[in-house]
Amino acid sequence: NKNYLLIILNNIKLPLGKIKNWEIDMKKNYDIIAFDLDGTITASDRGITNSMKTALRHFGIEKDAESLKRHIGPSLTETFREYVGDDEEQIQLAIKKYREYYVAGGMLENEVYEGVEETLQEIRNRGKKIVLASSKPMVYCEQILKHYGLDKYFDFIGGSNLDETRCKKVEVISFSLENIGENPGANVLMVGDREYDILGAKQLEMDSVGVLFGYGNKDELQEAGATYIIDKMTDLLEIV
């Protein structure tokens, strides 16, 4: 246990600088890095909120884009249940209207965050494996990463099914790892911007990184129990 070792070192009066060196030397080795997509790799709020507004307008509900940003992360089923109730047919109709806009162009109303590509490239250069673990349908994840030329960095691109199954973060992380012949464990690190990413990793006994440039915030990530929190994507290279 690192904390126990540091107490011992402190009791034998080692200099503070020496203790810090021990901490650096004891950094964990992560062989596999799993990434969320929305709010982590791409700033996708414009396309997602426009799609949500289109869907909700069909039900006579008007919402501004800013108020809808909090829905970036959870499944569409969970999101639309809040607005149209528990009627499954109404939820599916809302999802259909959402996807009509999203597929027509909304999925590309986004941009890649600064530092993402150089970070992915360097992680690969260091011999790590990279997977995507998103609650977005896998077919859309594949198209988005291919559009931005990022698919080449991934060993597997994992997402949910179009019928909204396998949309929980714990499910999609496990699915992505399974497809590269790996299991969740201490050598896997999850990177995401919302509590769902952090809690999913925690459920699988994995460490996690919360990013502050996405759609969550520091309080949310800390309360969820993120192992690390970073300000910019290139900070990830100090961890892995």
Side-chain angles (χ1 to χ4, degrees):
N1 183 289
K2 184 176 74 174
N3 292 331
Y4 182 65
L5 179 57
L6 290 178
I7 291 171
I8 294 174
L9 292 173
N10 191 47
N11 286 338
I12 62 176
K13 308 302 181 184
L14 280 178
L16 180 60
K18 185 67 174 177
I19 293 175
K20 287 183 178 178
N21 288 337
W22 269 94
E23 287 191 272
I24 292 170
D25 291 343
M26 294 174 66
K27 279 174 61 176
K28 293 183 180 179
N29 181 36
Y30 300 108
D31 301 313
I32 306 163
I33 317 301
F35 286 89
D36 176 45
L37 180 57
D38 295 325
T40 303
I41 290 177
T42 61
S44 52
D45 55 281
R46 188 160 60 96
I48 291 175
T49 57
N50 281 341
S51 300
M52 286 183 184
K53 286 165 66 177
T54 299
L56 292 175
R57 196 170 290 128
H58 179 79
F59 295 89
I61 302 170
E62 292 291 338
K63 289 287 180 179
D64 62 276
E66 194 61 34
S67 69
L68 293 172
K69 285 184 181 180
R70 66 186 177 88
H71 296 299
I72 300 175
S75 69
L76 292 177
T77 297
E78 182 180 335
T79 293
F80 287 125
R81 180 173 283 115
E82 180 177 327
Y83 294 99
V84 302
D86 293 325
D87 187 306
E88 193 60 34
E89 288 188 7
Q90 293 293 86
I91 291 172
Q92 290 305 313
L93 178 57
I95 292 173
K96 177 183 176 182
K97 293 300 179 182
Y98 173 99
R99 288 180 176 162
E100 285 175 358
Y101 183 95
Y102 193 75
V103 172
M107 74 170 71
L108 300 181
E109 291 179 353
N110 57 29
E111 59 185 23
V112 178
Y113 285 114
E114 182 179 356
V116 165
E117 183 160 15
E118 67 179 276
T119 300
L120 292 173
Q121 186 172 47
E122 180 57 25
I123 290 173
R124 290 307 298 263
N125 290 344
R126 295 180 184 183
K128 314 288 186 180
K129 292 182 179 180
I130 302 175
V131 298
L132 191 82
S134 171
S135 294
K136 184 188 295 296
M138 191 161 72
V139 62
Y140 301 152
C141 295
E142 292 170 342
Q143 291 179 53
I144 291 167
L145 291 180
K146 184 175 182 180
H147 176 80
Y148 290 107
L150 299 177
D151 56 319
K152 60 189 175 187
Y153 299 111
F154 288 81
D155 293 278
F156 185 75
I157 297 170
S160 65
N161 295 312
L162 282 169
D163 64 1
E164 288 287 292
T165 56
R166 200 181 60 233
C167 62
K168 293 180 180 178
K169 188 60 64 166
V170 65
E171 296 173 330
V172 77
I173 294 172
S174 298
F175 173 73
S176 293
L177 293 175
E178 179 184 335
N179 275 274
I180 61 168
E182 300 285 352
N183 295 308
N187 67 324
V188 187
L189 185 67
M190 179 69 209
V191 184
D193 68 312
R194 298 296 311 274
E195 62 179 337
Y196 312 100
D197 304 300
I198 308 306
L199 295 172
K202 183 183 288 187
Q203 189 173 344
L204 294 169
E205 299 184 342
M206 292 164 34
D207 285 352
S208 59
V209 177
V211 304
L212 293 177
F213 49 80
Y215 303 112
N217 57 58
K218 191 171 185 178
D219 288 342
E220 174 183 330
L221 296 169
Q222 286 181 330
E223 288 175 14
T227 314
Y228 314 92
I229 293 178
I230 60 176
D231 293 308
K232 56 185 186 299
M233 184 58 83
T234 51
D235 291 342
L236 183 62
L237 298 175
E238 297 298 316
I239 300 171
V240 303

